[in-house]
Amino acid sequence: MTDVRTQSSTTNKVLGYPLNVWYVAAWDKEVTRKPMSRKVAGRPLALYRTEGGKAVALADACWHRLAPLSMGKTLAKDQIQCPYHGIVYNSAGRCVSMPAQETINPSATVPSFPVVERHRYVWVWLGDPTKADPGLVPDMHQLDSPEWAGDGETIYAPCNFQLVLDNLMDLTHEEFIHSSSIGQEELSESDFTVTHDDGTVTVSRWMFNIDAPPFWLKNMRDKFPGFEGKVDRWQIITFRSPSVINIDVGVAKAGTGAFDGNRSQGVNGFVMNAITPESDKSCHYFWAFMRNYRLDSQLITTQLREGVHGVFGEDEAMLTAQAAIDANPDYEFYNLNIDAGGMWVRRLIERQLESEGRLIPLA
């Protein structure tokens, strides 16, 4: 189940972030004709839409005096105008107009980055553009599938993105941080398995014949009014390198075959998580809770979004509190059996950084 090496210690210095990958830059509804600013993997971006509705990501700095293009305005077709001296660029980042002169300096360009819109997100690729294969966008189809309903939000987390990955790969913390909603003793008492390949890590945990915690009891009663009794509960956490984690969660009436694939007597949700590094010590955490029952109920969608918002607010408080890491730069992290999934996540990120020649621990 676990590797004995997970009980060893490691430096608390976090790694950098890969660049030859797709990161979520924004929800699709956030990107409009009005430019917006968003820093991704250390790179400030100006995001906007062309008149035709195509999402664009340019470096957020004008060629002339580095003024933020996100403070500018969009013009005809695909153009954006610098707010400082009026220089105009197209969506490829090439200058198409300069004030007070007809001749355009051929070096007047700003970097433009590949963009893909998929699963309600705008994804951006900051690395080698020749490797920006849209087929590498992680599968998060539940977000826009007609067989699932739900909504989500964005958390700004003042910590390295890998701390959020650690948090999501080990859900035993629910017993202690989320005791009033989804936590219960069986989380620590139950066994789990960890599997992995070159790009994914999966942690699976099942709990049989237990009481449903408040969050899941409410969901069961949404589908089965007046439900009472024991349930079987599951958590199947799947990490896709370097920053997406989808969590298959749910409960079903005990002994009705959920473990063997028959979840008809239960409620099933997917917690969709995309964690985008902003800097070494901050990230944007895009999340949504999707369900496959009572799809027509906006009330349930709203209740679930607000409920999960409260749960994740507790996580946010703990992640922020981990500022103690900066105060103890020489301290080593010690790993328990429950960290097996998170350790494999770090190994995959290390391999990605190594393949890019960027495996340099951050101070």
Side-chain angles (χ1 to χ4, degrees), residues 40-350:
V40 176
R43 191 66 185 259
L45 302 177
L47 304 173
Y48 69 96
R49 290 192 184 277
T50 67
E51 283 187 334
K54 179 182 177 182
V56 176
L58 299 181
D60 197 13
C62 178
W63 163 85
H64 177 223
R65 290 292 186 269
L66 302 181
L69 295 179
S70 60
M71 296 176 63
K73 63 181 180 181
T74 53
L75 303 178
K77 297 181 180 179
D78 64 348
Q79 299 171 357
I80 186 170
Q81 185 177 53
C82 173
Y84 196 6
H85 296 100
I87 295 176
V88 179
Y89 302 89
N90 63 19
S91 60
R94 181 163 295 280
C95 175
V96 295
S97 175
M98 287 182 167
Q101 63 185 66
E102 294 183 2
T103 303
I104 297 176
N105 188 318
S107 69
T109 61
V110 295
S112 175
F113 301 97
V115 169
V116 169
E117 287 197 65
R118 192 170 298 169
H119 310 318
R120 295 167 62 182
Y121 289 138
V122 173
W123 304 76
V124 65
W125 182 284
L126 300 180
D128 182 349
T130 65
K131 297 180 179 180
D133 178 3
L136 297 177
V137 171
D139 178 15
M140 304 184 81
H141 71 272
Q142 291 87 352
L143 281 166
D144 51 13
S145 167
E147 297 179 357
W148 295 82
D151 202 359
E153 297 178 350
T154 306
I155 294 172
Y156 181 76
C159 65
N160 185 274
F161 84 115
Q162 291 178 42
L163 292 180
V164 182
L165 299 179
D166 287 345
N167 173 274
L168 292 169
M169 292 304 294
D170 166 35
L171 298 182
T172 59
H173 73 269
E174 292 177 356
E175 178 181 344
F176 310 101
I177 296 180
H178 311 307
S179 58
S180 64
S181 56
I182 56 177
Q184 56 190 138
E185 293 179 357
E186 288 84 357
L187 287 160
S188 296
E189 297 171 352
S190 60
D191 203 357
F192 65 96
T193 60
V194 179
T195 59
H196 60 88
D197 57 28
D198 290 340
T200 67
V201 179
T202 300
V203 178
S204 301
R205 173 181 280 106
W206 282 84
M207 294 153 277
F208 299 103
N209 198 36
I210 63 173
D211 292 324
F215 177 85
W216 286 113
L217 181 59
K218 190 270 182 192
N219 291 336
M220 280 292 282
R221 288 174 175 171
D222 282 341
K223 184 175 179 181
F224 305 102
F227 170 78
E228 298 287 350
K230 301 290 187 177
V231 298
D232 295 334
R233 181 181 180 184
W234 65 89
Q235 298 173 329
I236 303 172
I237 311 164
T238 302
F239 164 81
R240 290 177 173 81
S241 186
S243 64
V244 164
I245 295 178
N246 297 339
I247 311 178
D248 175 2
V249 292
V251 297
K253 297 176 183 178
T256 57
F259 181 76
D260 297 317
N262 178 11
R263 300 181 179 181
S264 63
Q265 296 303 301
V267 287
N268 192 182
F270 262 83
V271 189
M272 319 299 290
N273 308 278
I275 303 90
T276 297
E278 178 189 62
S279 69
D280 301 342
K281 298 179 180 179
S282 61
C283 61
H284 288 93
Y285 175 10
F286 302 88
W287 66 265
F289 187 94
M290 310 301 294
R291 70 182 187 283
N292 64 354
Y293 58 94
R294 297 286 303 277
L295 302 182
D296 59 340
S297 175
Q298 180 58 45
L299 175 61
I300 293 177
T301 295
T302 301
Q303 290 174 336
L304 283 171
R305 185 186 66 235
E306 292 177 351
V308 176
H309 171 91
V311 170
F312 284 180
E314 295 170 335
D315 286 315
E316 184 179 1
M318 181 56 66
L319 291 167
T320 301
Q322 285 186 278
I325 291 173
D326 292 336
N328 298 275
D330 297 324
Y331 191 79
E332 294 182 333
F333 283 167
Y334 286 84
N335 301 297
L336 309 175
N337 286 339
I338 56 176
D339 297 311
M343 291 290 288
W344 274 110
V345 165
R346 288 173 180 263
R347 289 170 189 165
L348 293 190
I349 293 175
E350 286 177 0

